[in-house]
Amino acid sequence: PRAVARLAHDRGVYLIGRIVVFEDPILSRARPDLAIRRSDGSVWRDAAGLGWTNPYDRRVWDYNVAVAVIAARAGFDEIMFDYVRFSSDGDVQSAAYRHQRSLTKRDAVPAFLRYAASRLERHDVRVSAAVFGLSAARDLGIGQLPRRMAPHLDSLYAMTYPSLFGRGELGIADPSASPGETVSRALRRFQVALRGSNTLV
């Protein structure tokens, strides 16, 4: 990886290492003790049948940050955390979380990012996250609150795909049929939510 990073940098390429955090069917299968569980103890899965790791478990945090540190040492310029959230589909009511302590979903995601940023600080790497395009408009119940995430991020990638917006969202009858207006209105919400922050959108 170091040789590839050097080669990319020699050609003026900026490297972003994308790390999929809590949606992790591989880790949840290999280590069910780190997974979101069901009340019967089995691994909880989303609507696509994928297992997720527990966003409250500090061991899951350590695992993902260790991957990020390795990428930073290899020469990536930026670490972008994706799926840094709770699941939004499937039978979310049946999901059982251990190690929750006093954290809520709204607390867990910013707490993870604060921890990750503090661990990555010494590696001279930028830290970013991908978020749902509607997360600046309202609380989606998945822990993604851009204003609370921003203090721990250099950049925030708003996934404003028009196909992800339902009819009537952002005051647009059919967001998929009006992609320019959908993206524009969604990004304006992020600009308002992050006003006073140094985080790039």
Side-chain angles (χ1 to χ4, degrees):
R2 290 174 190 266
V4 173
R6 279 195 299 274
L7 193 64
H9 287 145
D10 287 346
R11 285 157 176 74
V13 175
Y14 180 81
L15 294 174
I16 301 176
R18 173 181 175 259
I19 297 175
V20 176
V21 183
F22 299 123
E23 181 193 76
D24 193 334
I26 296 170
L27 184 60
S28 63
R29 187 182 321 111
R31 291 285 307 273
D33 58 310
L34 301 179
I36 299 173
R37 310 289 276 280
R38 302 179 71 84
S39 57
D40 65 4
S42 62
V43 173
W44 180 89
R45 288 183 170 76
D46 64 16
L50 302 175
W52 287 58
T53 55
N54 184 354
Y56 293 114
D57 196 318
R58 289 294 291 259
R59 296 171 299 173
V60 172
W61 295 13
D62 285 333
Y63 169 80
N64 283 284
V65 171
V67 172
V69 166
I70 290 167
R73 287 179 177 160
F76 282 86
D77 301 293
E78 179 175 327
I79 302 299
M80 190 260 277
F81 293 110
D82 199 358
Y83 285 83
V84 58
R85 62 178 177 85
F86 287 77
S87 181
S88 59
D89 63 277
D91 184 10
V92 293
Q93 302 303 321
S94 68
Y97 300 96
R98 297 180 179 172
H99 311 291
Q100 188 170 348
R101 301 178 300 278
S102 61
L103 288 178
T104 64
K105 288 181 180 180
R106 296 166 57 98
D107 298 324
V109 170
F112 165 75
L113 292 172
R114 181 175 60 244
Y115 175 69
S118 70
R119 290 272 312 276
L120 289 166
E121 193 172 21
R122 70 183 73 116
H123 297 286
D124 192 31
V125 66
R126 294 173 57 81
V127 180
S128 60
V131 295
F132 275 164
L134 260 177
S135 62
R138 58 185 166 87
D139 186 347
L140 301 172
I142 58 173
Q144 287 187 345
L145 298 166
R147 183 177 292 280
R148 296 190 62 192
M149 297 168 72
H152 318 297
L153 299 172
D154 295 295
S155 302
L156 193 139
Y157 295 95
M159 299 186 298
T160 56
Y161 314 136
S163 60
L164 295 181
F165 293 82
R167 291 186 171 274
E169 294 281 11
L170 303 173
I172 301 171
D174 184 358
S176 288
S178 305
E181 186 62 22
T182 299
V183 171
S184 178
R185 288 191 190 186
L187 290 178
R188 276 200 296 271
R189 298 290 180 99
F190 279 93
Q191 289 172 336
V192 170
L194 300 184
R195 191 172 287 146
S197 163
N198 291 325
T199 305
L200 298 175
V201 176

